[in-house]
Amino acid sequence: MMYNQVLFESFLTKWGIAGVYDLWIKIPHASSWVCEGGTTAEKEEEAPPAILTVEPAAHQCWNGCTYLYFSYPGGYQICVRFFEEKFLEEDILQLIFHLLYPCYAEYALKTGEYKLNKMIDSIVNTTSSLDLEELFASILSNTMDVIPNADLGTLWLYDHAANRLVCKASSGKLMQGIWNMKFKIGEGVIGQTFKMAEPKLFHDLTELGEGEMEKVSEENRRYWDWSYDFTRHVNTMLAAPIDVNGQTKCVMILCQIKTQHPLTEEDLHLLRGFSPQIGIAMRNAQLFTDLKKQNDLLVKRDHIHATLTKLSMQSMGVNKVIRELNKMIGFPLLFVDLLENECIPKAKQLPDNIAFKDLENYLSSLTEESYYDIVKSESTWHYLYPIRSGSIILGCLIIAAEKPLTQLDHVALEQGNSVLALELVKKQNLVEFYYKKKRELFSALLQTKDSSVRLEKARELGLEREVDYVAVAFQFSAYIDPEKLEAHVRRLIAQLKKELAPYIQMLYGYHNEVTLLASLSSSEQFTHLKKQLNEVVKQWQQSKEVVLSGGIGSVYTGIEMVEKTYKEAKIAQSYFVSRKVTGCIEYSSIGVNRLFVNQNIEEMQRFLEDVFMPLNTSNGLNNTLEQTLITYFESNQSASQTAKKLHIHINTLYQRLRKIEDCLQLSFNNPEHVLRLQLACHLKESFGLVDS
């Protein structure tokens, strides 16, 4: 018994309204009355009819009975039924209202305890979950247990990557398209709730008019069931932003549609108390998820490192490493060796048909801090991972992906990058050893005078005895970084292998030089060879780091003539180097200059000073006499042509020529003197020598 029945019946007797009665109570969220007592003998009497009233007390006679209805805070109702018709004054009703208040209070207290226990249980259930995906459904389910009048609910999570709110959990009958909707902040009910400072109760959804929100996007409208009138179907709604570490991360929407009782301020109060616990649970689950991911990442990273290191230790080679990396990341992967200018797999080509040199230049333009670069085409992302040794670009990994790579993909590529760099360095060391062996054998072949030893060295080099040979000597100059120079030498050799494969008999690099020995079967082949060599050097002229000069010897038959063509190639190459120009020249083209290629530069400089210094210091004429002399010999000693080129009268020319003879104490009629002057003018022009 939750009220003082003796006191109540004494009150009824005092006011002359005693009689047979029963007392019923109806609590919120319940659909039926519960009998609490009375004077009836039977407890199975039919429950009183329901009544909707907002008045504290109501009086109704029906079917020979009198019904007194009393409404208490929180949606509680008490009904006293007399089994006869009685009329009661308003003041009597008010007294009965207060006499039955303890009955209401007792039920309200028990209901509050029930809700509190339910809320505590829900908090325990919610905060005990550490799986982030499972947590979303748990949050919504436990919240709706605490607020049972909500018969439809959704939970939306803010996705930072997409900058949208996406549905993570739902309860109740919802349209299927809701799982495809993605709301911007401020868009629709979901986006507007995200901007709220705290939970809010809506009794009238017209409060969410277009004036307060952005219109729903066309994309979301495609998934909306327009037969579902949200505003008309939803009676009351709770909208709650959920904070995690002081920032809004989630949005919860609870709607009352079919349940009898609307959502109340008490429900709003419960949600305000429960939502911080939701935020704590989400934070804990997120921390656990991040920690688990990090641990999994470390485990997988160790596995990747162990796998790739094992391949490297077993010297399985680049091909095996590439295949293993391809399996790890699951995207097409291309390895580019920018020293040998080749790709693995070999059947693949560089994206967009880019040239190896252009790719190397692009990667060199990236800072050394750039671990990778992304180039996006129409439908594909190309991730470029430069493989470096110090500041040198050895190669590159190219990954074609239709979506961004994961952190684990980057870890695998980072480890693979290091292993591939080591493999390239190992390969480079082997190549250097190979070149050293070639150079030693070739030097021995050139230096020996013994024909039998020469033939033995030729066999070791794979050279035939009676073949037409031509040597080509290349030299890099104007370089600074020895490591970069070494890379340039490797790239030139790779280019020559590709362009001149049918002709090559021997090819190696040493320091800043590259030596090529080619075999020919016809004069047409020699013409084609020279054309290809000039094309190669022309491409290197675009380089800003080095200057490449090349010399081509004459064609000779037989292994014993290799020394001669090689020496000629070195002389021709030295001629270009001495002139500090880039290009490729044939020995036969340098003419008389072959006599001066290996001459001491200082001696030639002193010779020029002896000729031209007296002319430049004569009576302050500057270099007028010098220019006259040079033009005179360029015009084949023709006085008329010289005067025309200098734009002077021929008599003025004769005066200058006499002045030159006086200054130099020589005569243009003396052949020896003329040869001396011609030689000085030629050296000054051909070798770029200047006066001190």
Side-chain angles (χ1 to χ4, degrees), residues 70-106:
F70 302 97
S71 297
Y72 295 92
Y76 291 85
Q77 287 185 334
I78 295 178
C79 176
V80 180
R81 177 170 56 184
F82 295 96
F83 290 88
E84 58 182 310
E85 293 189 0
K86 295 178 180 293
F87 177 78
L88 300 178
E89 298 290 342
E90 180 66 27
D91 54 349
I92 299 299
L93 292 176
Q94 291 297 322
L95 288 172
I96 295 175
F97 173 85
H98 290 290
L99 280 172
L100 296 178
Y101 203 92
C103 183
Y104 146 73
E106 182 72 17

Side-chain angles (χ1 to χ4, degrees), residues 611 629 633 664 666 668 673-681:
V611 173
L629 180 63
F633 284 110
L664 300 180
L666 49 74
F668 284 107
H673 293 174
V674 171
L675 178 61
R676 178 185 177 191
L677 294 176
Q678 283 181 313
L679 179 60
C681 292

